[in-house]
């Protein structure tokens, strides 16, 4: 702790001095507090303003990204110089500056006395926050069907109208694929679904199982563009209702069906192809063997699986951070593509191709943030200012993560070989 802070008495200890002294990696932005104190560069473009004692209590009782997120979502920590629907520039500045160093016992006593013992009492978290991991055991074992359903409900049943504002007409909440520099989000989402279809070798009359089908984008694309019979399943009732409505509206209900159902309860088999776009992040790494074995069993010999999911740049088990876990993806787990490929191979798949689309996800997130900014007032009216802040913050932070190669997006293509070892692939890729 600095000499100034060490010698400060209770009556003169300032919040800005404490923050500046404890910030592990220094101050990249300007910080001001309701007690009139400040820290960080005076000419910084991004300025953080702590407006209330409740915000201070959030920071003190949950140091790091969780406390910052709580204060921000509750409106006690304002970000000046960035729109709340797209705080990307702010996240670039502060993403590496959210950790406090551990003070010594003497320093801690000085801080507590100086700031006041009342700040050690944590306020109730914002209503957007989900239960911590250890309390979710009451909802069932990790990645049980009951607990997975609750986690999916927390994230996806926010509001279909809100998701339309953010995702655009495609209602595709997964990484798009940009065919050229100037591609729009809708063009890129079409290309993503079409790339999946081409990799799966879809042809009229085939049967496709789309697990974790979301709002039915892949089901509609496969039915409309390839004449495929599709069964899509999702744990979100809101998604299933929307998907069925869109299939009826586009006259595709005779080709595609969407059920509100856990993929583990699908009774049909002998599918020509399985698409899994954005599901693997939710199932838990320990469940990879049963997941890939289940999908392998659902395919006929020669059938193909396309697994599209977020991954790490390494293959260590790593749970998501506190903010993402509490506010965005409860129970989410990520690992590297090597772990996914190994699990698929151990389940019997011949892995034919792997492609990293990391930079495409950064662009996708940028477009989603832009959509949220463009529809900010309507979005706030639909879901409330706190939830809108959560989404702006999370998408901007994730964009930075993809740009820095902290996270990736990988498509893995596998085949179920027949008894004679035939996989049905041509000598060279056809997509």
């Amino acid at each position: 702790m600095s000499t100034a802070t060490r010698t400060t008495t209770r009556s003169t200890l300032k919040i800005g001095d404490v923050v500046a002294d404890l910030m592990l990696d220094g101050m990249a932005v300007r910080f001001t507090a309701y007690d009139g104190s400040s820290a960080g560069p005076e000419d910084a473009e991004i300025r953080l303003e702590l407006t209330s004692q409740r915000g201070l209590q959030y920071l003190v009782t949950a140091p790091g990204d969780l406390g910052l997120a709580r204060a921000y979502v509750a409106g006690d920590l304002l970000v000046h110089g960035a729109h709340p629907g797209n705080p990307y520039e702010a996240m670039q500045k502060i993403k590496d500056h959210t950790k406090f160093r551990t003070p010594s016992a003497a320093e801690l006593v000085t801080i507590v006395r100086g700031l006041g013992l009342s700040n050690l009492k944590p306020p109730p978290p914002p209503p957007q926050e989900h239960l911590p991991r250890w309390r979710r055991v009451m909802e069932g074992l990790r990645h049980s069907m009951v607990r997975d359903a609750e986690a999916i409900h927390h994230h996806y049943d926010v509001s279909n109208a809100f998701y339309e504002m953010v995702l655009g007409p495609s209602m595709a909440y997964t990484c798009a694929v940009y065919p050229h520099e100037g591609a729009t989000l809708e063009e890129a989402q079409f290309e993503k679904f079409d790339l999946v279809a081409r990799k799966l070798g879809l042809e009229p009359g085939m049967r496709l199982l789309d697990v974790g089908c979301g709002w039915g984008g892949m089901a509609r694309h496969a039915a409309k563009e390839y004449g495929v019979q599709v069964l899509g399943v999702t744990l979100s009732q809101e998604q299933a209702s929307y998907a069925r409505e869109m299939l009826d509206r586009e006259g595709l209900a005779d080709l595609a069906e969407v059920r509100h159902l856990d993929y583990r309860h699908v009774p049909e088999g002998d599918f020509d192809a399985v698409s899994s776009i954005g599901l693997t992040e939710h199932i838990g790494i320990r469940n990879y063997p049963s997941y890939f074995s289940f999908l392998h069993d659902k395919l006929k010999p020669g059938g193909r699986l396309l697994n599209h999911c977020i991954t790490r740049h390494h293959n260590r088990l790593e749970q998501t951070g506190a903010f993402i876990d509490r506010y965005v993806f409860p129970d989410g787990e990520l690992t590297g593509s090597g772990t996914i490929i190994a699990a698929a191979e151990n389940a019997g798949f011949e892995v034919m191709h792997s492609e990293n689309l990391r930079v495409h996800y950064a662009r996708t997130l940028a477009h989603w943030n832009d959509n949220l900014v463009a529809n900010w007032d309507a979005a706030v009216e639909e879901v409330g200012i706190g939830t809108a802040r959560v989404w702006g913050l999370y998408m901007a932070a994730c964009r930075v993560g993809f740009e820095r190669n902290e996270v990736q997006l990988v498509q893995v293509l596998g085949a179920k070989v027949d008894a004679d070892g035939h996989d049905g692939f041509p000598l060279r890729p056809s997509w």
Side-chain angles (χ1 to χ4, degrees):
M1 180 173 284
S2 66
T3 302
T5 305
R6 270 201 303 267
T7 58
T8 299
T9 66
R10 177 174 177 174
S11 60
T12 61
L13 186 59
K14 296 294 186 180
I15 298 170
D17 295 332
V18 175
V19 170
D21 193 49
L22 293 183
M23 192 64 70
L24 190 62
D25 299 307
M27 295 290 293
V29 298
R30 183 66 172 171
F31 173 84
T32 60
Y34 61 89
D35 66 351
S37 63
S38 60
E42 293 186 9
D43 59 348
E45 295 180 4
I46 303 298
R47 294 171 290 117
L48 304 182
E49 180 186 359
L50 187 67
T51 64
S52 70
Q53 184 184 20
R54 183 178 65 176
L56 176 61
Q57 290 171 322
Y58 281 137
L59 298 182
V60 170
T61 57
D65 67 329
L66 182 59
L68 288 167
R70 284 173 171 169
Y72 177 74
V73 172
D76 300 316
L77 181 66
L78 303 180
V79 179
H80 301 287
H83 192 285
N86 187 13
Y88 168 70
E89 293 182 0
M91 293 310 303
Q92 282 185 306
K93 299 284 188 182
I94 68 175
K95 194 170 185 293
D96 295 330
H97 300 269
T98 62
K99 293 182 173 61
F100 293 98
R101 68 176 179 83
T102 303
S104 67
E107 290 173 329
L108 188 58
V109 169
T110 300
I111 292 170
V112 170
R113 287 178 175 173
L115 295 181
L117 292 174
S118 61
N119 292 311
L120 292 178
K121 181 180 180 181
Q128 293 80 13
E129 184 170 317
H130 198 50
L131 294 171
R133 288 187 180 99
W134 65 269
R135 284 191 59 190
R136 292 180 212 146
V137 70
M138 295 185 297
E139 300 169 8
L141 295 176
R142 188 176 180 85
H143 297 297
S144 66
M145 292 186 184
V146 171
R147 185 159 157 178
D148 280 352
E150 171 57 29
I152 293 299
H153 168 73
H154 175 84
H155 185 68
Y156 292 102
D157 291 345
V158 175
S159 160
N160 284 341
F162 173 76
Y163 276 110
E164 284 185 291
M165 297 175 202
V166 176
L167 305 180
S170 70
M171 284 293 277
Y173 187 30
T174 47
C175 175
V177 176
Y178 290 78
H180 56 82
E181 287 290 336
T184 66
L185 176 61
E186 291 306 302
E187 290 171 336
Q189 291 294 9
F190 182 97
E191 175 62 18
K192 182 267 301 295
F193 288 131
D194 209 65
L195 178 61
V196 172
R198 298 195 307 267
K199 286 182 176 180
L200 289 173
L202 297 184
E203 296 178 358
M206 283 185 170
R207 296 174 63 240
L208 169 68
L209 173 62
D210 186 32
V211 294
C213 69
W215 289 274
M218 184 63 203
R220 296 198 305 276
H221 188 94
K224 183 177 181 179
E225 304 295 332
Y226 288 85
V228 172
Q229 291 280 343
V230 189
L231 171 60
V233 295
T234 173
L235 276 175
S236 167
Q237 180 64 65
E238 292 288 329
Q239 289 182 336
S241 297
Y242 181 95
R244 288 192 287 262
E245 180 182 338
M246 291 301 295
L247 289 172
D248 288 337
R249 184 182 303 177
E250 297 182 19
L252 299 171
D254 59 330
L255 282 174
E257 174 190 2
V258 170
R259 300 175 190 166
H260 178 220
L261 185 70
D262 191 297
Y263 77 91
R264 290 165 283 194
H265 285 160
V266 172
E268 294 92 339
D270 286 330
F271 289 95
D272 297 283
V274 173
S275 53
S276 177
I277 306 174
L279 172 64
T280 318
E281 300 91 330
H282 298 288
I283 66 172
I285 296 170
R286 71 177 185 183
N287 292 324
Y288 283 3
S290 59
Y291 164 76
F292 283 109
S293 293
F294 180 87
L295 299 184
H296 188 269
D297 290 343
K298 290 298 173 183
L299 286 166
K300 63 175 56 174
R304 301 183 187 182
L305 164 69
L306 191 287
N307 198 86
H308 168 123
C309 72
I310 300 171
T311 63
R312 294 289 187 193
H313 65 285
H314 56 73
N315 285 280
R316 299 184 296 274
L317 169 61
E318 192 167 300
Q319 295 178 339
T320 56
F323 166 64
I324 294 293
D325 181 67
R326 301 282 189 93
Y327 286 87
V328 187
F329 291 111
D331 288 343
E333 294 178 0
L334 299 178
T335 188
S337 59
T339 303
I340 292 170
I341 290 173
E345 290 176 333
N346 289 340
F349 283 102
E350 179 183 19
V351 173
M352 305 298 295
H353 186 262
S354 174
E355 182 175 7
N356 187 348
L357 298 169
R358 172 178 67 85
V359 297
H360 293 263
Y361 215 157
R363 291 189 178 210
T364 305
L365 287 157
H367 272 127
W368 290 343
N369 270 130
D370 289 343
N371 285 346
L372 181 55
V373 170
N375 296 289
W376 181 253
D377 290 341
V380 169
E381 184 177 355
E382 178 67 22
V383 299
I385 184 66
T387 298
R389 284 195 186 110
V390 167
W391 284 83
L393 178 64
Y394 126 72
M395 291 189 297
C398 287
R399 177 184 172 187
V400 174
F402 280 102
E403 289 176 341
R404 296 184 181 183
N405 195 31
E406 295 169 0
V407 278
Q408 302 176 345
L409 188 290
V410 175
Q411 288 187 347
V412 173
L413 178 63
K416 180 177 180 175
V417 299
D418 66 18
D420 296 320
H422 299 138
D423 54 36
F425 276 79
L427 287 177
R428 298 299 301 151
S430 58
W431 56 87

